[in-house]
Amino acid sequence: MAFQAFDLAHPSFKNDLGDGLPKTTDWSYARKIRDLLESFKIKTTNASATKHVTINMFYSEIMDIYRHLRKMRDIDLESKLMADKMQDKFEKYCGTSNKGFNYILYFAAILYPRLKLRVLSFGFAEVFRAEKRNETDEQLKKRIETTITFITDELEKVFKHYEYELNRERPSSSQASQRASKVAGSIDGSSSFFAQFKSVGGSSSYETKKELQKYLHDIEEPDYEGFDILQWWKASSSKYLIVAKMAKDILAIPVSSVASESAFSTGGRVGEPYRSSLTPSIVEALI
């Protein structure tokens, strides 16, 4: 519209621009690119949020980006070349090969009670089909299962580390028996029955070895508005003691470093040499 209005006011402007004058096809191409870039902008904004947990939504956001990249390839050759470069970055940080995995991001998706493993299988199926390897359904299924196994094996290692740390914090069996004797003695003046009961572990049916598998095989949380993942894990910490501790640490990781890098950039402008006498509280208020 701007160039049309300019054409009416100054018809000779075309002579100045020559071949650089945008054509109708150019505007059509620009609109398609704009819509695609708008999608990337929304994903970047979502990933850069600082007021709520972001890493748990990584997988669904990444799958949307993957679909956008495939759409870019269908526009024209130039868009395809641009999408290929973006795909290289995509594979670097979110690759589907077991050598390129950023496992912690997939752990976060698994620790999101609405997703777990089934959504990973669904996403990998879409990615693998797009590769067009001419494999059978059985081969595709096996490749998905192998990929999921790579992730769950690494998650199991993390779980065992947290289990080991928890067992270190717990009192030994002899300490527990002595403590049980004191508790029983304070109840009925004797300690024989209650102490024996505690010494054989009769007061607890909690089995840490089955906890991770139990969480993975429990049904996903239903999709409803207002779901708070932090509150969910707080309420479920008695059921999934060790997995909840894992979730507490993993969900605290920001999925993007954009916000923190922005803070450091702002800090550099505020705490410059000419303002070196500002107190920490003033610098914090300015940032």
PDB file of all heavy atoms in Angstrom, residues 26-50:
ATOM      1  N   ASP A  26       7.148 -10.577  -4.172  1.00  0.00           N
ATOM      2  CA  ASP A  26       8.053 -10.291  -3.053  1.00  0.00           C
ATOM      3  C   ASP A  26       7.268 -10.082  -1.759  1.00  0.00           C
ATOM      4  O   ASP A  26       7.647 -10.570  -0.696  1.00  0.00           O
ATOM      5  CB  ASP A  26       8.895  -9.047  -3.345  1.00  0.00           C
ATOM      6  CG  ASP A  26       9.845  -9.254  -4.509  1.00  0.00           C
ATOM      7  OD1 ASP A  26      10.264 -10.415  -4.711  1.00  0.00           O
ATOM      8  OD2 ASP A  26      10.151  -8.277  -5.212  1.00  0.00           O
ATOM      9  N   TRP A  27       6.171  -9.345  -1.861  1.00  0.00           N
ATOM     10  CA  TRP A  27       5.347  -9.094  -0.665  1.00  0.00           C
ATOM     11  C   TRP A  27       4.698 -10.384  -0.172  1.00  0.00           C
ATOM     12  O   TRP A  27       4.569 -10.603   1.039  1.00  0.00           O
ATOM     13  CB  TRP A  27       4.273  -8.049  -0.971  1.00  0.00           C
ATOM     14  CG  TRP A  27       4.819  -6.671  -1.168  1.00  0.00           C
ATOM     15  CD1 TRP A  27       4.786  -5.914  -2.304  1.00  0.00           C
ATOM     16  CD2 TRP A  27       5.499  -5.883  -0.195  1.00  0.00           C
ATOM     17  NE1 TRP A  27       5.400  -4.708  -2.110  1.00  0.00           N
ATOM     18  CE2 TRP A  27       5.847  -4.659  -0.807  1.00  0.00           C
ATOM     19  CE3 TRP A  27       5.855  -6.088   1.128  1.00  0.00           C
ATOM     20  CZ2 TRP A  27       6.519  -3.642  -0.155  1.00  0.00           C
ATOM     21  CZ3 TRP A  27       6.537  -5.072   1.799  1.00  0.00           C
ATOM     22  CH2 TRP A  27       6.864  -3.869   1.163  1.00  0.00           C
ATOM     23  N   SER A  28       4.284 -11.226  -1.109  1.00  0.00           N
ATOM     24  CA  SER A  28       3.692 -12.506  -0.716  1.00  0.00           C
ATOM     25  C   SER A  28       4.709 -13.370   0.034  1.00  0.00           C
ATOM     26  O   SER A  28       4.398 -13.986   1.059  1.00  0.00           O
ATOM     27  CB  SER A  28       3.195 -13.246  -1.970  1.00  0.00           C
ATOM     28  OG  SER A  28       2.690 -14.508  -1.639  1.00  0.00           O
ATOM     29  N   TYR A  29       5.941 -13.385  -0.481  1.00  0.00           N
ATOM     30  CA  TYR A  29       7.021 -14.139   0.175  1.00  0.00           C
ATOM     31  C   TYR A  29       7.316 -13.567   1.561  1.00  0.00           C
ATOM     32  O   TYR A  29       7.508 -14.305   2.533  1.00  0.00           O
ATOM     33  CB  TYR A  29       8.263 -14.085  -0.709  1.00  0.00           C
ATOM     34  CG  TYR A  29       9.494 -14.706  -0.086  1.00  0.00           C
ATOM     35  CD1 TYR A  29       9.654 -16.084  -0.043  1.00  0.00           C
ATOM     36  CD2 TYR A  29      10.485 -13.897   0.455  1.00  0.00           C
ATOM     37  CE1 TYR A  29      10.783 -16.654   0.524  1.00  0.00           C
ATOM     38  CE2 TYR A  29      11.615 -14.461   1.038  1.00  0.00           C
ATOM     39  CZ  TYR A  29      11.762 -15.831   1.068  1.00  0.00           C
ATOM     40  OH  TYR A  29      12.869 -16.384   1.634  1.00  0.00           O
ATOM     41  N   ALA A  30       7.342 -12.231   1.655  1.00  0.00           N
ATOM     42  CA  ALA A  30       7.635 -11.565   2.932  1.00  0.00           C
ATOM     43  C   ALA A  30       6.571 -11.897   3.978  1.00  0.00           C
ATOM     44  O   ALA A  30       6.897 -12.082   5.164  1.00  0.00           O
ATOM     45  CB  ALA A  30       7.720 -10.056   2.729  1.00  0.00           C
ATOM     46  N   ARG A  31       5.313 -11.974   3.556  1.00  0.00           N
ATOM     47  CA  ARG A  31       4.246 -12.308   4.508  1.00  0.00           C
ATOM     48  C   ARG A  31       4.420 -13.729   5.052  1.00  0.00           C
ATOM     49  O   ARG A  31       4.188 -13.975   6.235  1.00  0.00           O
ATOM     50  CB  ARG A  31       2.880 -12.170   3.833  1.00  0.00           C
ATOM     51  CG  ARG A  31       2.498 -10.725   3.509  1.00  0.00           C
ATOM     52  CD  ARG A  31       1.047 -10.627   3.029  1.00  0.00           C
ATOM     53  NE  ARG A  31       0.737  -9.291   2.554  1.00  0.00           N
ATOM     54  CZ  ARG A  31       0.822  -8.898   1.286  1.00  0.00           C
ATOM     55  NH1 ARG A  31       1.176  -9.782   0.341  1.00  0.00           N
ATOM     56  NH2 ARG A  31       0.519  -7.669   0.944  1.00  0.00           N
ATOM     57  N   LYS A  32       4.800 -14.669   4.175  1.00  0.00           N
ATOM     58  CA  LYS A  32       4.999 -16.050   4.631  1.00  0.00           C
ATOM     59  C   LYS A  32       6.148 -16.129   5.644  1.00  0.00           C
ATOM     60  O   LYS A  32       6.035 -16.784   6.677  1.00  0.00           O
ATOM     61  CB  LYS A  32       5.293 -16.958   3.431  1.00  0.00           C
ATOM     62  CG  LYS A  32       4.108 -17.155   2.497  1.00  0.00           C
ATOM     63  CD  LYS A  32       4.482 -18.051   1.323  1.00  0.00           C
ATOM     64  CE  LYS A  32       3.295 -18.250   0.392  1.00  0.00           C
ATOM     65  NZ  LYS A  32       3.640 -19.103  -0.778  1.00  0.00           N
ATOM     66  N   ILE A  33       7.257 -15.437   5.343  1.00  0.00           N
ATOM     67  CA  ILE A  33       8.396 -15.430   6.253  1.00  0.00           C
ATOM     68  C   ILE A  33       8.022 -14.756   7.575  1.00  0.00           C
ATOM     69  O   ILE A  33       8.406 -15.214   8.652  1.00  0.00           O
ATOM     70  CB  ILE A  33       9.597 -14.709   5.604  1.00  0.00           C
ATOM     71  CG1 ILE A  33      10.103 -15.513   4.410  1.00  0.00           C
ATOM     72  CG2 ILE A  33      10.717 -14.504   6.612  1.00  0.00           C
ATOM     73  CD1 ILE A  33      10.660 -16.874   4.765  1.00  0.00           C
ATOM     74  N   ARG A  34       7.237 -13.675   7.465  1.00  0.00           N
ATOM     75  CA  ARG A  34       6.815 -12.977   8.686  1.00  0.00           C
ATOM     76  C   ARG A  34       6.021 -13.896   9.606  1.00  0.00           C
ATOM     77  O   ARG A  34       6.260 -13.924  10.826  1.00  0.00           O
ATOM     78  CB  ARG A  34       5.948 -11.758   8.303  1.00  0.00           C
ATOM     79  CG  ARG A  34       5.393 -10.990   9.507  1.00  0.00           C
ATOM     80  CD  ARG A  34       4.160 -10.220   9.111  1.00  0.00           C
ATOM     81  NE  ARG A  34       3.092 -11.111   8.645  1.00  0.00           N
ATOM     82  CZ  ARG A  34       1.992 -10.691   8.042  1.00  0.00           C
ATOM     83  NH1 ARG A  34       1.810  -9.413   7.780  1.00  0.00           N
ATOM     84  NH2 ARG A  34       1.057 -11.568   7.654  1.00  0.00           N
ATOM     85  N   ASP A  35       5.091 -14.647   9.030  1.00  0.00           N
ATOM     86  CA  ASP A  35       4.263 -15.546   9.848  1.00  0.00           C
ATOM     87  C   ASP A  35       5.119 -16.620  10.521  1.00  0.00           C
ATOM     88  O   ASP A  35       4.900 -16.964  11.689  1.00  0.00           O
ATOM     89  CB  ASP A  35       3.189 -16.201   8.983  1.00  0.00           C
ATOM     90  CG  ASP A  35       2.170 -15.193   8.461  1.00  0.00           C
ATOM     91  OD1 ASP A  35       2.068 -14.101   9.061  1.00  0.00           O
ATOM     92  OD2 ASP A  35       1.495 -15.493   7.455  1.00  0.00           O
ATOM     93  N   LEU A  36       6.109 -17.142   9.784  1.00  0.00           N
ATOM     94  CA  LEU A  36       6.976 -18.168  10.354  1.00  0.00           C
ATOM     95  C   LEU A  36       7.865 -17.596  11.449  1.00  0.00           C
ATOM     96  O   LEU A  36       8.025 -18.180  12.520  1.00  0.00           O
ATOM     97  CB  LEU A  36       7.832 -18.805   9.263  1.00  0.00           C
ATOM     98  CG  LEU A  36       7.101 -19.750   8.308  1.00  0.00           C
ATOM     99  CD1 LEU A  36       8.000 -20.112   7.138  1.00  0.00           C
ATOM    100  CD2 LEU A  36       6.636 -21.004   9.032  1.00  0.00           C
ATOM    101  N   LEU A  37       8.436 -16.417  11.206  1.00  0.00           N
ATOM    102  CA  LEU A  37       9.304 -15.791  12.206  1.00  0.00           C
ATOM    103  C   LEU A  37       8.513 -15.381  13.448  1.00  0.00           C
ATOM    104  O   LEU A  37       9.046 -15.378  14.553  1.00  0.00           O
ATOM    105  CB  LEU A  37      10.019 -14.585  11.601  1.00  0.00           C
ATOM    106  CG  LEU A  37      11.031 -14.903  10.487  1.00  0.00           C
ATOM    107  CD1 LEU A  37      11.675 -13.625   9.985  1.00  0.00           C
ATOM    108  CD2 LEU A  37      12.094 -15.877  10.994  1.00  0.00           C
ATOM    109  N   GLU A  38       7.248 -15.039  13.244  1.00  0.00           N
ATOM    110  CA  GLU A  38       6.395 -14.708  14.389  1.00  0.00           C
ATOM    111  C   GLU A  38       6.245 -15.911  15.312  1.00  0.00           C
ATOM    112  O   GLU A  38       6.241 -15.781  16.537  1.00  0.00           O
ATOM    113  CB  GLU A  38       5.020 -14.252  13.889  1.00  0.00           C
ATOM    114  CG  GLU A  38       4.039 -13.887  15.000  1.00  0.00           C
ATOM    115  CD  GLU A  38       4.435 -12.642  15.768  1.00  0.00           C
ATOM    116  OE1 GLU A  38       5.207 -11.831  15.238  1.00  0.00           O
ATOM    117  OE2 GLU A  38       3.964 -12.489  16.920  1.00  0.00           O
ATOM    118  N   SER A  39       6.152 -17.086  14.711  1.00  0.00           N
ATOM    119  CA  SER A  39       6.053 -18.314  15.507  1.00  0.00           C
ATOM    120  C   SER A  39       7.322 -18.530  16.329  1.00  0.00           C
ATOM    121  O   SER A  39       7.267 -18.891  17.504  1.00  0.00           O
ATOM    122  CB  SER A  39       5.819 -19.520  14.586  1.00  0.00           C
ATOM    123  OG  SER A  39       4.641 -19.364  13.835  1.00  0.00           O
ATOM    124  N   PHE A  40       8.488 -18.291  15.709  1.00  0.00           N
ATOM    125  CA  PHE A  40       9.751 -18.431  16.438  1.00  0.00           C
ATOM    126  C   PHE A  40       9.854 -17.398  17.562  1.00  0.00           C
ATOM    127  O   PHE A  40      10.388 -17.681  18.631  1.00  0.00           O
ATOM    128  CB  PHE A  40      10.935 -18.283  15.483  1.00  0.00           C
ATOM    129  CG  PHE A  40      11.103 -19.446  14.551  1.00  0.00           C
ATOM    130  CD1 PHE A  40      10.989 -19.294  13.185  1.00  0.00           C
ATOM    131  CD2 PHE A  40      11.383 -20.714  15.047  1.00  0.00           C
ATOM    132  CE1 PHE A  40      11.141 -20.364  12.326  1.00  0.00           C
ATOM    133  CE2 PHE A  40      11.541 -21.800  14.195  1.00  0.00           C
ATOM    134  CZ  PHE A  40      11.416 -21.621  12.831  1.00  0.00           C
ATOM    135  N   LYS A  41       9.343 -16.219  17.312  1.00  0.00           N
ATOM    136  CA  LYS A  41       9.372 -15.167  18.339  1.00  0.00           C
ATOM    137  C   LYS A  41       8.559 -15.591  19.567  1.00  0.00           C
ATOM    138  O   LYS A  41       8.989 -15.410  20.710  1.00  0.00           O
ATOM    139  CB  LYS A  41       8.805 -13.869  17.764  1.00  0.00           C
ATOM    140  CG  LYS A  41       8.706 -12.751  18.799  1.00  0.00           C
ATOM    141  CD  LYS A  41       7.946 -11.553  18.252  1.00  0.00           C
ATOM    142  CE  LYS A  41       7.711 -10.519  19.338  1.00  0.00           C
ATOM    143  NZ  LYS A  41       6.887  -9.382  18.855  1.00  0.00           N
ATOM    144  N   ILE A  42       7.383 -16.163  19.314  1.00  0.00           N
ATOM    145  CA  ILE A  42       6.525 -16.607  20.420  1.00  0.00           C
ATOM    146  C   ILE A  42       7.225 -17.690  21.232  1.00  0.00           C
ATOM    147  O   ILE A  42       7.210 -17.672  22.472  1.00  0.00           O
ATOM    148  CB  ILE A  42       5.178 -17.123  19.870  1.00  0.00           C
ATOM    149  CG1 ILE A  42       4.389 -15.968  19.256  1.00  0.00           C
ATOM    150  CG2 ILE A  42       4.368 -17.796  20.971  1.00  0.00           C
ATOM    151  CD1 ILE A  42       3.140 -16.404  18.523  1.00  0.00           C
ATOM    152  N   LYS A  43       7.874 -18.637  20.544  1.00  0.00           N
ATOM    153  CA  LYS A  43       8.576 -19.717  21.238  1.00  0.00           C
ATOM    154  C   LYS A  43       9.745 -19.166  22.062  1.00  0.00           C
ATOM    155  O   LYS A  43      10.002 -19.616  23.183  1.00  0.00           O
ATOM    156  CB  LYS A  43       9.087 -20.752  20.244  1.00  0.00           C
ATOM    157  CG  LYS A  43       7.993 -21.430  19.433  1.00  0.00           C
ATOM    158  CD  LYS A  43       6.944 -22.046  20.317  1.00  0.00           C
ATOM    159  CE  LYS A  43       5.804 -22.635  19.497  1.00  0.00           C
ATOM    160  NZ  LYS A  43       4.691 -23.124  20.363  1.00  0.00           N
ATOM    161  N   THR A  44      10.453 -18.189  21.509  1.00  0.00           N
ATOM    162  CA  THR A  44      11.571 -17.587  22.235  1.00  0.00           C
ATOM    163  C   THR A  44      11.079 -16.863  23.477  1.00  0.00           C
ATOM    164  O   THR A  44      11.683 -16.954  24.551  1.00  0.00           O
ATOM    165  CB  THR A  44      12.327 -16.601  21.320  1.00  0.00           C
ATOM    166  OG1 THR A  44      12.790 -17.287  20.162  1.00  0.00           O
ATOM    167  CG2 THR A  44      13.506 -15.988  22.047  1.00  0.00           C
ATOM    168  N   THR A  45       9.962 -16.156  23.343  1.00  0.00           N
ATOM    169  CA  THR A  45       9.386 -15.448  24.491  1.00  0.00           C
ATOM    170  C   THR A  45       8.962 -16.431  25.576  1.00  0.00           C
ATOM    171  O   THR A  45       9.207 -16.202  26.770  1.00  0.00           O
ATOM    172  CB  THR A  45       8.172 -14.603  24.048  1.00  0.00           C
ATOM    173  OG1 THR A  45       8.594 -13.677  23.034  1.00  0.00           O
ATOM    174  CG2 THR A  45       7.587 -13.846  25.220  1.00  0.00           C
ATOM    175  N   ASN A  46       8.327 -17.521  25.174  1.00  0.00           N
ATOM    176  CA  ASN A  46       7.905 -18.532  26.149  1.00  0.00           C
ATOM    177  C   ASN A  46       9.099 -19.140  26.870  1.00  0.00           C
ATOM    178  O   ASN A  46       9.063 -19.356  28.094  1.00  0.00           O
ATOM    179  CB  ASN A  46       7.112 -19.644  25.450  1.00  0.00           C
ATOM    180  CG  ASN A  46       5.784 -19.172  24.908  1.00  0.00           C
ATOM    181  OD1 ASN A  46       5.281 -18.125  25.324  1.00  0.00           O
ATOM    182  ND2 ASN A  46       5.204 -19.911  23.985  1.00  0.00           N
ATOM    183  N   ALA A  47      10.165 -19.423  26.131  1.00  0.00           N
ATOM    184  CA  ALA A  47      11.338 -20.055  26.726  1.00  0.00           C
ATOM    185  C   ALA A  47      12.118 -19.101  27.616  1.00  0.00           C
ATOM    186  O   ALA A  47      12.869 -19.540  28.493  1.00  0.00           O
ATOM    187  CB  ALA A  47      12.258 -20.587  25.623  1.00  0.00           C
ATOM    188  N   SER A  48      11.953 -17.792  27.411  1.00  0.00           N
ATOM    189  CA  SER A  48      12.727 -16.802  28.165  1.00  0.00           C
ATOM    190  C   SER A  48      11.995 -16.279  29.389  1.00  0.00           C
ATOM    191  O   SER A  48      12.480 -15.364  30.059  1.00  0.00           O
ATOM    192  CB  SER A  48      13.086 -15.624  27.241  1.00  0.00           C
ATOM    193  OG  SER A  48      13.763 -16.066  26.095  1.00  0.00           O
ATOM    194  N   ALA A  49      10.829 -16.830  29.692  1.00  0.00           N
ATOM    195  CA  ALA A  49      10.067 -16.369  30.857  1.00  0.00           C
ATOM    196  C   ALA A  49      10.846 -16.621  32.148  1.00  0.00           C
ATOM    197  O   ALA A  49      11.600 -17.592  32.252  1.00  0.00           O
ATOM    198  CB  ALA A  49       8.715 -17.079  30.903  1.00  0.00           C
ATOM    199  N   THR A  50      10.661 -15.739  33.116  1.00  0.00           N
ATOM    200  CA  THR A  50      11.389 -15.848  34.383  1.00  0.00           C
ATOM    201  C   THR A  50      10.470 -15.975  35.596  1.00  0.00           C
ATOM    202  O   THR A  50      10.949 -16.172  36.703  1.00  0.00           O
ATOM    203  CB  THR A  50      12.292 -14.614  34.585  1.00  0.00           C
ATOM    204  OG1 THR A  50      11.485 -13.420  34.552  1.00  0.00           O
ATOM    205  CG2 THR A  50      13.344 -14.531  33.490  1.00  0.00           C
TER     206      THR A  50
END
